[in-house]
Amino acid sequence: KIISVILAVLLAVGVLPFYTFAQDDVESYLTYSVTADGITITDCDTSLAGTITVPATINGKPVTAIGNNAFYECKNLTTVILPTGLLTIGTNAFAYCTSLVRINIPASVTSVENNAFCIYK
């Protein structure tokens, strides 16, 4: 129990760098494709952790979709803030994100596909 308390304190103050990411670096952890409508996030480095904000634009183009399986098994994400202008969240986009407790979905989203937030047990 003491180890759990110590770990919680270390995480809270950001001493363990594995659990902290500079927001400016988030884009470098994402893979994306360019479409006629904008950018689709297609994959991410599963070491992403904590709170992240998906950028509203990449290379001057709007991020309009989170693709199928884009954040699949990003098990250390706790909060995701999606950009205004996002239209689609794909199938299994956040599946197996077992630590995810909060996601900000903007009103611009018109489609959330099957199992977007699924955690199978």
mmCIF file of all heavy atoms in Angstrom, residues 2 8 16 19 29 42 45 48 52 56 58 63 75 99 101 106 112 114:
data_model
loop_
_atom_site.group_PDB
_atom_site.id
_atom_site.type_symbol
_atom_site.label_atom_id
_atom_site.label_comp_id
_atom_site.label_asym_id
_atom_site.label_seq_id
_atom_site.Cartn_x
_atom_site.Cartn_y
_atom_site.Cartn_z
ATOM 1 N N ILE A 2 1.971 1.229 0.721
ATOM 2 C CA ILE A 2 2.872 2.378 0.771
ATOM 3 C C ILE A 2 3.447 2.647 -0.618
ATOM 4 O O ILE A 2 3.534 3.797 -1.047
ATOM 5 C CB ILE A 2 3.999 2.172 1.805
ATOM 6 C CG1 ILE A 2 3.392 2.180 3.214
ATOM 7 C CG2 ILE A 2 5.070 3.230 1.672
ATOM 8 C CD1 ILE A 2 4.356 1.836 4.305
ATOM 9 N N ALA A 8 1.595 7.116 -6.628
ATOM 10 C CA ALA A 8 0.567 8.122 -6.899
ATOM 11 C C ALA A 8 1.120 9.536 -6.726
ATOM 12 O O ALA A 8 0.853 10.424 -7.533
ATOM 13 C CB ALA A 8 -0.638 7.904 -5.995
ATOM 14 N N LEU A 16 7.718 11.017 -12.848
ATOM 15 C CA LEU A 16 7.908 9.898 -13.765
ATOM 16 C C LEU A 16 7.636 10.377 -15.192
ATOM 17 O O LEU A 16 6.502 10.543 -15.590
ATOM 18 C CB LEU A 16 6.961 8.742 -13.406
ATOM 19 C CG LEU A 16 7.183 8.147 -12.023
ATOM 20 C CD1 LEU A 16 6.155 7.068 -11.738
ATOM 21 C CD2 LEU A 16 8.580 7.576 -11.902
ATOM 22 N N TYR A 19 4.875 9.237 -17.920
ATOM 23 C CA TYR A 19 3.477 9.627 -17.849
ATOM 24 C C TYR A 19 3.232 11.097 -18.171
ATOM 25 O O TYR A 19 2.137 11.572 -18.012
ATOM 26 C CB TYR A 19 2.921 9.300 -16.458
ATOM 27 C CG TYR A 19 2.717 7.830 -16.279
ATOM 28 C CD1 TYR A 19 3.675 7.061 -15.638
ATOM 29 C CD2 TYR A 19 1.603 7.191 -16.777
ATOM 30 C CE1 TYR A 19 3.511 5.692 -15.504
ATOM 31 C CE2 TYR A 19 1.434 5.823 -16.637
ATOM 32 C CZ TYR A 19 2.372 5.090 -16.002
ATOM 33 O OH TYR A 19 2.203 3.736 -15.868
ATOM 34 N N TYR A 29 3.781 12.126 -32.207
ATOM 35 C CA TYR A 29 3.368 10.771 -31.831
ATOM 36 C C TYR A 29 2.214 10.256 -32.696
ATOM 37 O O TYR A 29 1.738 9.153 -32.503
ATOM 38 C CB TYR A 29 2.947 10.721 -30.355
ATOM 39 C CG TYR A 29 4.106 10.869 -29.409
ATOM 40 C CD1 TYR A 29 4.530 12.123 -28.989
ATOM 41 C CD2 TYR A 29 4.793 9.751 -28.953
ATOM 42 C CE1 TYR A 29 5.603 12.259 -28.128
ATOM 43 C CE2 TYR A 29 5.861 9.871 -28.091
ATOM 44 C CZ TYR A 29 6.269 11.138 -27.690
ATOM 45 O OH TYR A 29 7.331 11.277 -26.840
ATOM 46 N N THR A 42 -4.502 8.415 -38.272
ATOM 47 C CA THR A 42 -4.611 6.991 -38.600
ATOM 48 C C THR A 42 -3.960 6.077 -37.569
ATOM 49 O O THR A 42 -4.291 4.896 -37.495
ATOM 50 C CB THR A 42 -3.975 6.702 -39.971
ATOM 51 O OG1 THR A 42 -2.613 7.140 -39.958
ATOM 52 C CG2 THR A 42 -4.738 7.412 -41.087
ATOM 53 N N ASP A 45 1.565 6.492 -31.452
ATOM 54 C CA ASP A 45 2.523 5.759 -30.642
ATOM 55 C C ASP A 45 1.803 5.393 -29.350
ATOM 56 O O ASP A 45 1.307 6.277 -28.642
ATOM 57 C CB ASP A 45 3.730 6.649 -30.367
ATOM 58 C CG ASP A 45 4.823 5.975 -29.584
ATOM 59 O OD1 ASP A 45 4.524 5.110 -28.735
ATOM 60 O OD2 ASP A 45 5.985 6.320 -29.811
ATOM 61 N N LEU A 48 1.889 7.188 -25.750
ATOM 62 C CA LEU A 48 1.195 8.407 -25.328
ATOM 63 C C LEU A 48 0.500 8.146 -24.003
ATOM 64 O O LEU A 48 -0.094 7.081 -23.813
ATOM 65 C CB LEU A 48 0.148 8.816 -26.362
ATOM 66 C CG LEU A 48 0.607 9.670 -27.523
ATOM 67 C CD1 LEU A 48 -0.523 9.843 -28.525
ATOM 68 C CD2 LEU A 48 1.107 11.015 -27.066
ATOM 69 N N ILE A 52 -3.969 14.419 -23.476
ATOM 70 C CA ILE A 52 -3.482 14.957 -24.746
ATOM 71 C C ILE A 52 -4.592 15.751 -25.417
ATOM 72 O O ILE A 52 -5.770 15.495 -25.204
ATOM 73 C CB ILE A 52 -2.975 13.869 -25.711
ATOM 74 C CG1 ILE A 52 -4.105 12.951 -26.169
ATOM 75 C CG2 ILE A 52 -1.809 13.100 -25.127
ATOM 76 C CD1 ILE A 52 -3.812 12.239 -27.467
ATOM 77 N N ALA A 56 -5.873 20.931 -33.805
ATOM 78 C CA ALA A 56 -6.960 21.311 -34.712
ATOM 79 C C ALA A 56 -6.497 21.302 -36.164
ATOM 80 O O ALA A 56 -7.289 21.044 -37.070
ATOM 81 C CB ALA A 56 -7.498 22.687 -34.345
ATOM 82 N N ILE A 58 -2.926 20.310 -38.825
ATOM 83 C CA ILE A 58 -1.589 19.778 -39.041
ATOM 84 C C ILE A 58 -1.158 20.265 -40.417
ATOM 85 O O ILE A 58 -1.884 20.083 -41.404
ATOM 86 C CB ILE A 58 -1.565 18.234 -38.969
ATOM 87 C CG1 ILE A 58 -1.941 17.758 -37.555
ATOM 88 C CG2 ILE A 58 -0.193 17.690 -39.378
ATOM 89 C CD1 ILE A 58 -2.028 16.247 -37.391
ATOM 90 N N VAL A 63 -7.870 18.954 -38.898
ATOM 91 C CA VAL A 63 -8.043 17.546 -38.515
ATOM 92 C C VAL A 63 -9.537 17.296 -38.490
ATOM 93 O O VAL A 63 -10.257 17.888 -37.681
ATOM 94 C CB VAL A 63 -7.385 17.246 -37.155
ATOM 95 C CG1 VAL A 63 -7.715 15.829 -36.692
ATOM 96 C CG2 VAL A 63 -5.877 17.458 -37.235
ATOM 97 N N LYS A 75 -3.032 2.504 -23.798
ATOM 98 C CA LYS A 75 -3.526 2.132 -22.476
ATOM 99 C C LYS A 75 -3.222 3.134 -21.370
ATOM 100 O O LYS A 75 -3.774 3.024 -20.278
ATOM 101 C CB LYS A 75 -2.981 0.755 -22.088
ATOM 102 C CG LYS A 75 -3.522 -0.328 -22.982
ATOM 103 C CD LYS A 75 -2.998 -1.679 -22.602
ATOM 104 C CE LYS A 75 -3.606 -2.734 -23.511
ATOM 105 N NZ LYS A 75 -3.199 -4.070 -23.158
ATOM 106 N N SER A 99 -7.269 3.163 -19.591
ATOM 107 C CA SER A 99 -7.164 4.199 -18.563
ATOM 108 C C SER A 99 -7.949 5.455 -18.918
ATOM 109 O O SER A 99 -7.995 6.403 -18.137
ATOM 110 C CB SER A 99 -5.692 4.576 -18.342
ATOM 111 O OG SER A 99 -4.984 3.475 -17.830
ATOM 112 N N VAL A 101 -10.580 8.028 -19.034
ATOM 113 C CA VAL A 101 -11.724 8.339 -18.171
ATOM 114 C C VAL A 101 -12.483 9.575 -18.645
ATOM 115 O O VAL A 101 -13.577 9.845 -18.181
ATOM 116 C CB VAL A 101 -11.294 8.532 -16.692
ATOM 117 C CG1 VAL A 101 -10.798 7.219 -16.114
ATOM 118 C CG2 VAL A 101 -10.266 9.621 -16.548
ATOM 119 N N PRO A 106 -16.291 17.298 -29.548
ATOM 120 C CA PRO A 106 -16.918 18.562 -29.946
ATOM 121 C C PRO A 106 -18.259 18.353 -30.649
ATOM 122 O O PRO A 106 -18.523 17.287 -31.218
ATOM 123 C CB PRO A 106 -15.882 19.185 -30.888
ATOM 124 C CG PRO A 106 -15.103 18.036 -31.419
ATOM 125 C CD PRO A 106 -15.090 17.011 -30.318
ATOM 126 N N VAL A 112 -19.949 8.686 -35.047
ATOM 127 C CA VAL A 112 -19.118 7.877 -34.162
ATOM 128 C C VAL A 112 -19.392 6.432 -34.561
ATOM 129 O O VAL A 112 -20.510 5.943 -34.410
ATOM 130 C CB VAL A 112 -19.446 8.110 -32.669
ATOM 131 C CG1 VAL A 112 -18.599 7.207 -31.798
ATOM 132 C CG2 VAL A 112 -19.243 9.577 -32.297
ATOM 133 N N ASN A 114 -18.888 2.153 -34.935
ATOM 134 C CA ASN A 114 -19.006 1.012 -34.023
ATOM 135 C C ASN A 114 -17.753 0.820 -33.167
ATOM 136 O O ASN A 114 -16.643 0.927 -33.664
ATOM 137 C CB ASN A 114 -19.268 -0.277 -34.793
ATOM 138 C CG ASN A 114 -20.623 -0.295 -35.442
ATOM 139 O OD1 ASN A 114 -21.561 0.343 -34.955
ATOM 140 N ND2 ASN A 114 -20.739 -1.005 -36.539
#
